[in-house]
Every structure is written in structure tokens, then in C-alpha cells.
């Protein structure tokens, strides 16, 4: 009869150690994987912002993140996004990126839509096309759509304008809004700012001039076109108001240049004065149908707070300082005009 063999206690112990080691390594791997997926720094310094367009899918976001090298490990970003249920919770916007941020932090920011506002600052622009081009560089809204809305009679009528004067609705200033603001909401915001700007005090001043806010802005656009220096604006505004009151044509050179659509003109010639356009104030009485540029706040307030005087004529100074000589009579004006024409000839400025 043979005796039964028993396992060595040492062998059992070694086996337990090996199993424990395997389990430990496995747990460590899981822990490292979990850490890398959620807590390890993953955002690079390649881009300052992540832009997510309206209507984007997660695949669109992942493509942007990958192609622009926004994260070091795109696969871990993808896995974390799936686990955190971000793939079905995409919010458009402009998101500020911080180097070294983890997947968990960036995905939480994207899920919450915690985007950074845009400072939309614009000055005066001569043409609507230039203006919408500027806006479309700062907002998601497409310049073509912005222009279509500006040129839509039915749309601008909602705000109380027509297509020739709607440009007066935009008050050059600095505004805070989100990058993904739709075109329609952008116009709504601008109209709200316009209403706020034209407060009771400004409207009362316009009424005393027998002008609507739109007409004040149209006149202000001409003042902007004439004045190189803001301190001269109230005098220029007073001159044009004198002409309006007396029923004299404005005869403003900037309106002729606008009618010609040639903004390189430095010397207005007789051929320019004959351009058949409602904006040519040498041919037409009163104000043109719309602004010749987006009027500045300074020019609008210069009209509302114009200087009272008897000037009816003005001519650029012959020293090319940007200032003007003002005159009450035609004969005085002709003396000033000859001085400026001689200065133009001396510099060989023919057009």
C-alpha cells in the first residue's frame, strides 16, 4: 500500500504570491489606465481655443482635436468622452484651452458649454461688406448670411428700417457676446443696443432739430466722412444743418466719392459732381437715402450738440493738416478753395 503525496507548503505559498502579483499588476495597470484616461495632463499648447461649430457631431470634435493636435492622446480623449456621455451632448462654442488640462476637465467644460465670450469691437466701416467681413471673423455667423439679412427688405423692416438706412442701426462700440451667436440673434442684439443708445435725451435733441434718429445718423456719416479730427465735428455738423434749414444742397464731397464707389479719390473733379446717384448731394437736395458709412458715436453726438454759427461753406486747409477753413459767403469760400487747389497742383495731385 503506497502513501498519498501531499503538495508542498512552499509551493502553495509561491503560487499565492504569483497570483497576488498578477492581480496587483493588473490593478496597477487599470489604475494607470484610469489615471491616464481621466486625470493625466492631455491638452497641448498647440492651440489657444477649440472652436465647435453649430450642428457638430462628436466625430467632428474628435477630428478637430486630432488634426490640430489639441490633445497628446486622442484615443484616451475619445474613451473618456464615451464614458462621460459627452458624445451625445455636443455644445457649440469657442472654448479656452489650458495646457496640461486633463480629459476630465476639458470634457466637463465642453459638456457644460462653458465657453469664453468674444469681445466684438468695431469702429466705423464705409461699406456693409467690410463690416460683415469683420463680424464673421469674430463670430461663427457667415458673412454671406449677414449680408443677405442686411439686404432683405422684409427682415430689416422688423426693426423699423429699410435696406438703404439699416446701416445706421449699428453703433460702433465694444460688445460682449458668444462666438456661436446666430446671425439673427446678432441683429437682435444690435437693435437692442441701438434702442439703448437712442435714449430719451438723444431723441429729444433730434426732435428739436426736426430730424429722426436715422436722419441724424445719415448726416453724422457725412460729418465722419469730412472730419479727420473729432474736435472739428460740431462745426462741420452746424454747417450742414445750416444748409438743410436754408434748403441749400449739402454739396458734400464724401457723398460724391461714395456715389462713385472710388475711395481712392483725393481730388473731386467736375465729372464726379455729375454722377447720377441719390447719394450725390451736389445734384440732390436734402440728405441722401442712407449713410455713406457707419456713423461714429462722436459724429452722432456732434450733430446733436452742433456748434451754432453762420458758416455755409468749408474747404480743406492747404497745409493738408486735415482741418478746414470755414466761410459764410461764396466769395470767401472761393478764396479758400483756390488756396487748396493750388496746394493740390503743387503736389501734383490730379485725382
Amino acid at each position: 500500500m503506497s502513501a498519498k503525496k501531499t503538495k508542498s507548503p512552499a509551493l502553495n505559498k509561491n503560487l499565492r504570491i504569483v497570483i497576488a502579483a498578477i492581480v496587483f499588476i493588473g490593478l496597477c495597470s487599470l489604475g494607470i489606465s484610469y489615471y491616464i484616461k481621466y486625470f493625466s495632463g492631455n491638452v497641448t499648447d498647440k492651440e489657444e481655443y477649440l472652436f465647435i461649430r453649430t450642428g457638430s457631431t462628436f466625430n467632428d470634435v474628435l477630428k478637430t482635436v486630432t488634426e490640430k493636435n489639441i490633445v497628446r492622446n486622442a484615443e484616451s480623449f475619445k474613451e473618456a468622452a464615451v464614458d462621460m456621455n459627452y458624445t451625445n451632448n455636443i455644445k457649440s462654442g469657442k472654448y479656452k484651452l489650458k495646457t496640461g488640462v486633463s480629459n476630465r476637465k476639458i470634457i466637463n467644460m465642453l459638456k457644460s458649454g462653458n465657453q469664453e465670450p468674444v469681445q466684438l469691437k468695431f469702429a466705423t466701416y464705409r461699406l456693409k461688406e467690410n463690416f460683415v467681413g469683420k463680424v464673421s471673423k469674430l463670430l461663427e455667423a457667415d458673412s454671406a448670411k449677414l449680408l443677405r439679412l442686411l439686404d432683405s427688405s422684409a427682415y430689416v423692416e422688423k426693426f423699423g428700417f429699410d435696406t438703404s438706412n439699416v446701416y445706421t442701426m449699428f453703433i460702433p462700440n465694444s460688445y460682449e457676446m458668444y462666438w456661436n451667436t446666430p446671425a439673427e440673434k446678432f441683429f437682435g442684439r444690435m437693435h437692442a443696443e441701438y434702442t439703448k443708445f437712442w435714449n430719451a435725451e438723444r431723441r429729444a435733441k433730434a426732435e428739436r432739430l426736426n430730424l429722426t434718429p436715422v436722419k441724424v445718423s445719415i448726416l453724422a456719416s457725412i460729418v465722419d466722412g469730412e472730419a479727420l479730427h473729432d474736435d472739428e465735428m460740431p462745426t462741420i455738423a452746424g454747417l450742414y444743418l445750416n444748409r438743410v434749414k436754408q434748403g441749400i444742397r449739402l454739396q458734400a464731397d464724401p457723398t460724391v466719392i461714395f456715389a462713385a464707389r472710388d475711395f481712392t479719390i483725393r481730388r473731386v473733379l467736375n465729372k464726379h459732381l455729375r454722377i447720377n446717384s441719390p447719394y450725390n448731394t451736389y445734384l440732390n437736395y436734402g440728405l441722401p437715402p442712407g449713410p455713406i458709412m457707419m456713423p461714429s458715436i462722436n459724429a452722432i453726438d456732434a450733430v446733436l450738440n452742433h456748434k451754432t454759427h453762420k458758416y455755409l461753406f468749408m474747404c480743406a486747409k492747404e497745409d493738408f493738416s486735415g482741418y478746414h477753413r470755414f466761410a459764410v459767403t461764396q466769395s470767401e469760400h472761393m478764396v479758400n478753395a483756390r488756396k487748396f487747389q493750388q496746394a493740390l497742383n503743387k503736389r501734383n495731385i490730379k485725382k
Side-chain angles (χ1 to χ4, degrees):
M1 184 174 178
S2 61
K4 291 183 179 180
K5 292 182 179 180
T6 59
K7 292 182 179 179
S8 166
L11 182 61
N12 289 336
K13 182 178 180 181
N14 289 338
L15 183 60
R16 288 195 296 272
I17 291 172
V18 170
I19 293 172
I22 292 171
V23 171
F24 177 76
I25 292 171
L27 290 174
C28 285
S29 296
L30 287 173
I32 292 171
S33 176
Y34 185 85
Y35 177 80
I36 290 173
K37 184 188 296 185
Y38 294 109
F39 300 105
S40 177
N42 199 26
V43 175
T44 68
D45 60 357
K46 301 296 183 184
E47 297 289 335
E48 187 177 2
Y49 294 98
L50 169 60
F51 294 89
I52 301 177
R53 300 193 70 84
T54 300
S56 294
T57 64
F58 176 67
N59 285 336
D60 296 325
V61 176
L62 185 61
K63 182 180 179 182
T64 301
V65 164
T66 303
E67 290 181 350
K68 292 185 175 294
N69 296 314
I70 287 174
V71 295
R72 297 185 183 90
N73 188 331
E75 189 59 33
S76 72
F77 173 82
K78 179 181 178 181
E79 291 176 1
V82 171
D83 292 346
M84 295 175 68
N85 195 32
Y86 171 60
T87 55
N88 296 315
N89 195 20
I90 308 300
K91 291 182 173 67
S92 62
K94 174 185 178 182
Y95 296 93
K96 175 73 173 176
L97 299 173
K98 293 183 180 179
T99 305
V101 164
S102 66
N103 289 330
R104 183 171 177 271
K105 284 187 176 181
I106 187 175
I107 291 170
N108 277 334
M109 177 180 68
L110 299 178
K111 278 181 67 177
S112 65
N114 186 21
Q115 59 175 308
E116 183 175 283
V118 172
Q119 295 299 323
L120 179 60
K121 184 176 182 179
F122 56 89
T124 59
Y125 283 86
R126 195 186 300 274
L127 299 174
K128 292 185 289 187
E129 293 82 356
N130 302 135
F131 173 58
V132 298
K134 166 72 173 181
V135 172
S136 65
K137 288 180 180 178
L138 297 173
L139 300 180
E140 182 185 13
D142 177 70
S143 60
K145 182 173 183 180
L146 290 168
L147 196 56
R148 281 198 304 273
L149 291 176
L150 276 176
D151 290 335
S152 168
S153 298
Y155 185 75
V156 300
E157 188 179 346
K158 296 176 182 179
F159 301 109
F161 297 91
D162 59 44
T163 54
S164 64
N165 63 33
V166 67
Y167 209 29
T168 64
M169 186 178 78
F170 303 94
I171 307 297
N173 213 329
S174 182
Y175 304 98
E176 185 176 279
M177 59 186 71
Y178 289 113
W179 173 78
N180 58 338
T181 300
E184 293 82 0
K185 285 192 175 181
F186 168 72
F187 284 122
R189 170 70 183 279
M190 291 296 96
H191 182 254
E193 296 292 343
Y194 173 86
T195 303
K196 189 188 304 180
F197 174 82
W198 279 102
N199 53 30
E201 182 182 359
R202 283 193 173 98
R203 286 182 179 275
K205 288 180 178 180
E207 191 173 344
R208 285 196 289 272
L209 295 174
N210 200 28
L211 295 174
T212 64
V214 167
K215 288 185 176 181
V216 168
S217 293
I218 291 173
L219 181 53
S221 74
I222 299 174
V223 172
D224 257 320
E226 288 281 16
L228 188 61
H229 304 285
D230 286 1
D231 61 350
E232 213 179 42
M233 283 184 174
T235 303
I236 295 173
L239 184 153
Y240 284 128
L241 284 168
N242 287 343
R243 283 181 162 259
V244 170
K245 290 174 185 176
Q246 295 183 37
I248 304 172
R249 292 186 185 95
L250 296 185
Q251 296 184 327
D253 287 357
T255 67
V256 175
I257 293 170
F258 182 82
R261 285 296 198 274
D262 182 358
F263 304 111
T264 65
I265 294 173
R266 298 179 65 190
R267 184 170 189 167
V268 174
L269 305 173
N270 287 331
K271 67 177 182 178
H272 299 131
L273 305 184
R274 295 191 295 270
I275 294 173
N276 185 16
S277 167
Y279 287 88
N280 184 350
T281 57
Y282 276 85
L283 294 180
N284 304 289
Y285 286 92
L287 296 170
I292 61 169
M293 65 191 303
M294 183 185 293
S296 66
I297 292 176
N298 285 345
I300 293 171
D301 284 340
V303 173
L304 296 176
N305 304 289
H306 63 281
K307 283 188 178 179
T308 302
H309 52 65
K310 294 182 179 181
Y311 296 136
L312 291 173
F313 304 93
M314 63 186 242
C315 181
K317 282 188 174 183
E318 66 278 5
D319 61 1
F320 294 94
S321 62
Y323 283 99
H324 295 81
R325 293 190 184 278
F326 297 92
V328 176
T329 66
Q330 177 79 33
S331 58
E332 290 174 333
H333 172 62
M334 292 308 298
V335 172
N336 296 332
R338 277 193 292 271
K339 289 179 181 178
F340 184 61
Q341 288 164 4
Q342 289 169 359
L344 289 172
N345 292 334
K346 190 174 181 180
R347 296 195 179 196
N348 199 32
I349 298 174
K350 302 298 183 181
K351 61 179 183 177

